[in-house]
């Protein structure tokens, strides 16, 4: 069985995958080796039914010795094979939105297989909202307050995100508590970034420079950003990724914040890339892990 782009032929013999009602573990042909290299000639494997891959969603590009690239994707628990569909992202900000910019730039560059389709903010004039408008990204105000009388209620926000067909929500310096309506509507699909190594220096009141001042005052030797899934409380959701940043003896809060922020930009992009590729695996005890893009048997 083979499906080729128009005008492209190959003499390679491909394995036949027959219809079955049983779960299959689809493995690449033995003559292929894993590669992330791109090529204009793409060969795809297709079946007439759904294939159940027991594990996480895995997008893989396989390059044969002849230079022919096989693009295949597997999804978990019976999802249909998909190739090339970008995930739609909603980003929430309250300030300048430097992490939002990093994620958007990574999406535009292609290092994240996603697209920022809407920005949500509680401050319509913040730097993140200005950047969104400059890049033709719709801006939604939430919640409704005296300062933002045009803001949405929680139920209206969920409806708006559904209209934008949002797959994942990314909090990037958003200082409001996420309502339960949104958490129920997007289970295991909302990420937040925090500028300390949670569970230390997290919770209500710990944000921005307050975190870094508290870290230095405590005498902690290490800090760094944390990416975690969002639950109904501040900074208590399951931790997905962390990056360690040393606290120097001469650091002030501004110096530490600058080094942590640099790592935030890298770590958040890596985490978003993983969730857009379906490389998040949930351990039996509820801990999320990131599957390596180079070796599916390795997790972090």
């Amino acid at each position: 069985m083979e499906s080729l782009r128009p005008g492209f032929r190959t003499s390679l013999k491909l394995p036949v995958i027959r219809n079955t009602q049983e779960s299959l573990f689809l493995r690449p042909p033995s003559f292929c080796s894993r590669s992330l290299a791109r090529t204009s000639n793409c060969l795809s494997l297709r079946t007439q039914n759904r294939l159940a891959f027991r594990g996480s969603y895995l997008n893989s590009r396989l390059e044969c010795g002849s230079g022919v690239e096989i693009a295949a994707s597997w999804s978990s628990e019976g999802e249909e094979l998909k190739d090339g569909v970008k995930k739609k992202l909603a980003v929430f900000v309250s300030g300048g939105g430097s992490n939002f910019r990093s994620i958007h730039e990574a999406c535009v560059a292609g290092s994240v297989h996603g697209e920022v389709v809407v920005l949500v903010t509680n401050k319509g004039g913040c730097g993140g909202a200005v950047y969104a408008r400059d890049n033709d990204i719709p801006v939604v105000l939430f919640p409704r307050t005296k300062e933002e009388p045009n803001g949405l209620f929680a139920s209206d926000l969920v409806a708006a995100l559904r209209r934008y067909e949002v797959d994942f929500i990314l909090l990037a310096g958003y200082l409001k508590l996420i309502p339960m309506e949104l958490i129920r509507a997007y289970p295991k699909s909302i990420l937040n970034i925090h500028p300390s190594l949670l569970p230390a220096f997290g919770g209500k009141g710990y944000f921005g420079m307050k975190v870094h001042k508290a870290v230095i005052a405590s005498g902690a030797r290490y800090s760094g950003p944390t990416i975690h899934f969002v639950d109904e409380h501040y900074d208590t959701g399951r931790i997905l990724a962390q990056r360690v940043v040393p606290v120097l003896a001469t650091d002030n809060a501004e110096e530490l914040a600058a080094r942590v922020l640099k790592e935030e930009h890298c770590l958040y992009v890596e985490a978003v890339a993983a969730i857009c590729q379906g490389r998040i695996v949930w351990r039996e005890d509820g801990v999320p892990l990131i599957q390596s893009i180079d070796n599916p048997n390795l997790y972090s």
Side-chain angles (χ1 to χ4, degrees), residues 169 171 174 176-193 198-199 202-204 227-239 282 286:
I169 296 171
L171 310 186
Y174 185 72
K176 295 292 185 179
L177 189 66
I178 299 301
M180 279 303 302
E181 293 94 329
L182 196 60
I183 294 172
R184 293 192 191 101
Y186 287 89
K188 294 183 178 180
S189 300
I190 308 176
L191 291 180
N192 182 45
I193 188 163
L198 293 175
K204 189 174 182 179
I227 309 291
H228 66 92
F229 284 91
V230 173
D231 59 17
E232 64 272 22
H233 304 293
Y234 285 106
D235 305 326
T236 59
R238 290 290 190 170
I239 292 172
W282 290 83

Side-chain angles (χ1 to χ4, degrees), residues 28 33-38 53 56-63 69-70 72-74 110-114 269-281 289-300:
S33 61
R34 295 186 181 274
S35 173
L36 297 178
R38 295 182 178 178
F53 171 68
S56 68
Y57 183 94
L58 171 64
N59 283 322
S60 182
R61 291 198 174 276
L62 308 171
E63 189 177 52
E69 186 187 55
I70 296 179
S73 50
W74 298 271
S111 53
V112 169
H113 201 61
V269 167
E270 291 172 9
V272 175
I275 201 169
C276 285
Q277 292 174 322
R279 291 189 288 111
I280 307 302
V281 177
L289 303 172
I290 296 178
Q291 187 179 46
S292 168
I293 195 170
D294 297 314
N295 186 346
N297 296 317
L298 295 179
Y299 302 88
S300 60

Side-chain angles (χ1 to χ4, degrees), residues 3-294:
S3 176
L4 303 177
R5 287 183 177 178
F8 181 71
R9 297 181 179 180
T10 178
S11 60
L12 294 172
K13 294 183 178 180
L14 300 177
V16 174
I17 302 176
R18 303 184 184 278
N19 280 341
T20 178
Q21 299 300 319
E22 301 298 326
S23 296
L24 299 179
F25 188 94
L26 184 59
R27 297 184 181 275
S30 59
F31 53 74
C32 293
S33 61
R34 295 186 181 274
S35 173
L36 297 178
R38 295 182 178 178
T39 177
S40 59
N41 295 326
C42 181
L43 176 151
S44 301
L45 302 180
R46 294 289 184 268
T47 64
Q48 296 178 358
N49 67 312
R50 296 183 174 185
L51 297 179
F53 171 68
R54 300 190 183 279
S56 68
Y57 183 94
L58 171 64
N59 283 322
S60 182
R61 291 198 174 276
L62 308 171
E63 189 177 52
C64 303
S66 62
V68 177
E69 186 187 55
I70 296 179
S73 50
W74 298 271
S75 62
S76 63
E77 299 302 323
E79 284 188 348
E80 289 179 304
L81 292 173
K82 299 177 183 178
D83 184 34
V85 179
K86 290 186 176 181
K87 297 298 182 180
K88 295 183 178 181
L89 310 173
V91 182
F92 286 43
V93 304
S94 293
S98 64
N99 275 302
F100 161 45
R101 297 184 188 202
S102 295
I103 293 167
H104 177 252
E105 289 170 357
C107 290
V108 172
S111 53
V112 169
H113 201 61
E115 177 186 6
V116 179
V117 296
V118 63
L119 179 91
V120 178
T121 181
N122 61 310
K123 297 180 179 180
C126 70
V130 172
Y131 176 85
R133 294 187 185 100
D134 288 344
N135 287 272
D136 298 320
I137 298 172
V139 176
V140 170
L141 294 176
F142 175 80
R144 180 174 296 185
T145 62
K146 292 181 180 179
E147 294 76 19
E148 297 292 354
N150 295 322
L152 299 180
F153 294 112
S155 58
D156 297 326
L157 176 63
V158 172
L161 297 180
R162 294 299 193 201
R163 286 195 297 272
Y164 285 109
E165 300 180 331
V166 168
D167 296 299
F168 299 109
I169 296 171
L170 312 173
L171 310 186
Y174 185 72
L175 302 181
K176 295 292 185 179
L177 189 66
I178 299 301
M180 279 303 302
E181 293 94 329
L182 196 60
I183 294 172
R184 293 192 191 101
Y186 287 89
K188 294 183 178 180
S189 300
I190 308 176
L191 291 180
N192 182 45
I193 188 163
H194 184 78
S196 74
L197 295 175
L198 293 175
F201 308 104
K204 189 174 182 179
Y206 278 101
F207 61 89
M209 210 57 66
K210 292 182 179 181
V211 173
H212 306 296
K213 289 179 179 178
V215 169
I216 292 173
S218 75
R221 274 27 177 198
Y222 297 97
S223 189
T226 297
I227 309 291
H228 66 92
F229 284 91
V230 173
D231 59 17
E232 64 272 22
H233 304 293
Y234 285 106
D235 305 326
T236 59
R238 290 290 190 170
I239 292 172
L240 177 63
Q242 293 181 314
R243 185 74 44 88
V244 174
V245 174
V247 180
L248 306 181
T250 57
D251 269 343
N252 59 38
E254 289 74 17
E255 291 168 336
L256 177 59
R259 290 204 311 281
V260 171
L261 184 62
K262 183 178 179 180
E263 296 301 327
E264 285 184 32
H265 294 164
C266 296
L267 187 65
Y268 214 171
V269 167
E270 291 172 9
V272 175
I275 201 169
C276 285
Q277 292 174 322
R279 291 189 288 111
I280 307 302
V281 177
W282 290 83
R283 219 166 57 186
E284 289 185 0
D285 59 359
V287 173
L289 303 172
I290 296 178
Q291 187 179 46
S292 168
I293 195 170
D294 297 314

